[in-house]
Amino acid sequence: MTHRFDTAAPGGQAAPRILAEAHELVGAAARVFGRDEYARTLLADCEFRLREPLRVALAGSIKAGKSTLLNALVGQAVAPTDATECTRVVTWYRDGATPTVTAHAADGSRANVIVRRGSGAHGLTFDLSALSWDAYGPREVDHLEVGWPSAALAQTTIIDTPGTSSLSREVSLRTARLLTPAGAEGGRSAISAPGADAVVYLLRRLDATDVSFLEQIGAGAGGAGPLGVIGVVSRADEIGAGRIDALHSARDVAARFAGELERTGLCQAVIPVAGLLAFAASTLRQPEFAAFEALSTVPAEDLGIALLSADRFARADIALPVAPELRAQLADRFGLFGIRMATMLIRLGVRDSSSLAAELAARSGIEELRSVLEIQFGQRAEELKAHSALSTLNRILSAYPGTEADRLLPRVRARLADVHGFTELRLLGRLRTDELPLPPPVLADLHRILGGTGVAPHLRLGLPAEADPNTLRTAAFTAVRTWRARAAHPLADQSTATACRAAARSAEGVLSELPR
């Protein structure tokens, strides 16, 4: 079973236009800095990332479940989940014709990495103990690059980062350097580009370390870091101690985290996800389904006693109609919550493995996360990539005052300030933070017209997918007039008027996309 969250550009001309403008400005800068090798290298990276898939980084504290979530999103065991040396370095996962893992040193040297197949939920292990560097001897690994044939990775490059709360300061700094680009304050040679266009930040609890790091992402290099940040309450099944209602408890926690983060605008959404269950559901095997069927025949009270702990569940002296070895495997892959959920669903009428896999995936939270990623990142991929490139270009040009760069800098800054897609993303991130004095239905309309539920015209206008062009045009004209009137209302404060003007511009954009 394969999964993906699309990053194809939505219909309309805005996203292709900003991408074309970014290409043109990067090209103009490359002609200005034809003889500056360092600037040329940075500009070549800008040009490359405009052409490659969107980059999404997974970040969070140690043992937050980043690698497990990555496997769930891809639908394959591509990332090691056991605590090995490879979890201490940044690892890039890209689409590739054949599975390959390559270690990269800071000086550009490369070495092939031996991949070992693990057991249970651990999947793969990358062996960094015997790297074959060139004749100059061993080097420290700067990052790993994994090539893997995958529909999801063909659309999105996913970057797995070390824990932000590692006991090793250098390990934590690797993630910080990737997501918080340096500006020109430390000199031209200190300029760096953001490694990711968007971030999925995993939270097990909301502490000062998480808040501080999210603030760094938003404030790095004058706000030039990744434009989109989604929070995930990871390992959500553990919040309720693996009980059948664990996801309900996790949703309460996610709502509390969201309230904390929305007050500061640090995340655009917070979603609870049981990553272990999500990945196990995507790779459910027929023997496992048969085992769940057998376990569902056990009286609920007896099964509940056996599921008091994973060790107890796998004990040979516990009388259950499934072999102890297979029980241990189920506990390793699905967790106690997953076993309880699977047996309950079968008792309620699920009759085959594909139906069970779909039900478990839906209850894990992974489908909700995919939907949010598609709306916030996938449908705005071109704008997010353009923002990363233009932000880097702004820092490069700022480091060369008194040169031809002065001519390009105002155009770049104008693009960063005026691109409406950027404005929408920032507003969506602040919408629940800013206490706008608007009725809830109007706030819901504002969220929708800004693209909060999707960027397709009918979604922005709250109409069915089959709405005809005339209906769409009439609704768009009405939306333009309505939001202009709200922006001009004499009692509207500055924040409300700004948001309403942005909504009117979004409605105008919808109108411009519709056929005449």
Side-chain angles (χ1 to χ4, degrees):
M1 185 183 300
T2 59
H3 299 281
R4 63 194 287 262
F5 56 95
D6 275 328
T7 51
Q13 300 303 311
R17 187 165 56 244
I18 181 56
L19 206 63
E21 290 173 346
H23 273 294
E24 190 264 321
L25 288 167
V26 171
R31 290 189 291 274
V32 168
F33 298 116
R35 296 183 179 180
D36 189 302
E37 183 177 354
Y38 186 71
R40 279 205 324 272
T41 300
L42 288 172
L43 291 167
D45 181 65
C46 288
E47 179 64 32
F48 175 73
R49 70 186 306 167
L50 287 171
R51 291 183 277 108
E52 70 170 350
L54 185 75
R55 299 176 181 179
V56 176
L58 302 183
S61 61
I62 294 174
K63 304 299 271 183
K66 297 182 291 294
S67 299
T68 300
L69 182 62
L70 191 157
N71 288 336
L73 287 170
V74 175
Q76 299 181 60
V78 299
T81 57
D82 50 346
T84 58
E85 186 182 356
C86 63
T87 62
R88 298 165 57 85
V89 298
V90 174
T91 305
W92 296 65
Y93 292 84
R94 305 180 187 271
D95 182 44
T98 58
T100 58
V101 182
T102 307
H104 293 255
D107 64 359
S109 300
R110 301 180 181 184
N112 291 329
V113 177
I114 297 174
V115 180
R116 304 189 189 282
R117 176 68 63 177
S119 60
H122 294 312
L124 305 176
T125 296
F126 299 161
D127 187 356
L128 304 185
S129 62
L131 295 176
S132 300
W133 298 103
D134 58 29
Y136 292 100
R139 293 164 175 76
E140 181 179 357
V141 176
D142 179 71
H143 68 279
L144 299 176
E145 186 163 322
V146 178
W148 204 274
S150 163
L153 296 175
Q155 301 296 323
T156 309
T157 295
I158 303 180
I159 310 169
D160 195 6
T161 65
T164 55
S165 57
S166 171
L167 294 176
S168 167
R169 184 171 180 272
E170 176 55 33
V171 170
S172 294
L173 282 175
R174 289 168 183 164
T175 300
R177 283 195 292 265
L178 179 83
L179 300 179
T180 55
E185 297 80 5
R188 294 173 183 173
S189 62
I191 301 170
S192 65
D197 305 306
V199 177
V200 175
Y201 193 87
L202 280 68
L203 303 144
R204 295 186 69 183
R205 53 189 171 275
L206 188 60
D207 56 25
T209 302
D210 293 316
V211 173
S212 174
F213 193 80
L214 287 167
E215 288 174 343
Q216 287 180 52
I217 293 175
L227 194 57
V229 180
I230 299 296
V232 169
V233 178
S234 61
R235 305 176 74 155
D237 51 312
E238 296 179 5
I239 290 175
R243 298 190 311 270
I244 201 70
D245 63 345
L247 264 294
H248 295 292
S249 301
R251 289 193 181 281
D252 292 340
V253 172
R256 189 171 73 249
F257 286 0
E260 294 287 335
L261 295 171
E262 284 163 5
R263 279 197 287 274
T264 53
L266 296 177
C267 280
Q268 291 160 240
V270 181
I271 312 294
V273 177
L276 185 66
L277 178 61
F279 174 61
S282 70
T283 55
L284 177 66
R285 304 154 189 157
Q286 185 60 36
E288 292 170 334
F289 175 75
F292 287 134
E293 274 193 313
L295 289 170
S296 68
T297 65
V298 177
E301 184 177 348
D302 293 344
L303 186 59
I305 293 173
L307 286 169
L308 288 174
S309 72
D311 289 340
R312 179 181 179 83
F313 180 67
R315 274 169 44 183
D317 61 340
I318 299 292
L320 292 172
V322 175
E325 296 80 8
L326 183 51
R327 278 184 261 151
Q329 178 183 312
L330 293 177
D332 192 35
R333 274 184 32 83
F334 292 82
L336 299 181
F337 171 73
I339 296 170
R340 290 189 178 100
M341 182 64 69
T343 52
M344 181 195 75
L345 289 168
I346 290 173
R347 290 192 191 106
L348 292 175
V350 173
R351 290 292 175 261
D352 57 76
S353 59
S354 59
S355 298
L356 180 61
E359 292 286 349
L360 291 175
R363 284 162 173 76
S364 72
I366 194 68
E367 298 303 331
E368 182 182 359
L369 176 60
R370 282 199 182 96
S371 176
V372 171
L373 291 173
E374 162 63 6
I375 291 169
Q376 299 289 351
F377 298 165
Q379 296 181 10
R380 298 177 182 271
E382 308 301 339
E383 292 164 330
L384 290 167
K385 290 193 294 183
H387 180 268
S388 295
L390 290 173
S391 297
T392 302
L393 182 56
N394 177 46
R395 293 194 300 281
I396 295 170
L397 297 175
S398 299
Y400 291 83
T403 68
E404 282 286 311
D406 292 345
R407 178 176 54 83
L408 289 174
L409 194 55
R411 292 177 59 195
V412 173
R413 289 178 174 170
R415 289 294 82 203
L416 283 169
D418 294 345
V419 171
H420 187 60
F422 300 163
T423 301
E424 287 183 333
L425 279 166
R426 295 187 184 101
L427 263 176
L428 287 170
R430 296 197 305 262
L431 197 53
R432 284 179 270 179
T433 305
D434 296 338
E435 296 181 1
L436 301 180
L438 295 171
V442 176
L443 283 173
D445 287 345
L446 177 60
H447 183 264
R448 187 175 60 241
I449 195 68
L450 292 172
T453 58
V455 299
H458 72 279
L459 293 174
R460 289 183 183 266
L461 297 171
L463 295 173
E466 61 273 14
D468 61 82
N470 286 335
T471 301
L472 291 169
R473 287 184 66 80
T474 300
F477 269 122
T478 301
V480 171
R481 290 195 298 267
T482 299
W483 289 110
R484 282 179 179 172
R486 286 171 176 155
H489 195 286
L491 297 182
D493 58 35
Q494 185 174 353
S495 295
T496 302
T498 298
C500 291
R501 282 194 295 269
R505 190 170 175 186
S506 294
E508 290 166 355
V510 170
L511 200 55
S512 70
E513 293 182 10
L514 295 174
R516 294 186 178 278

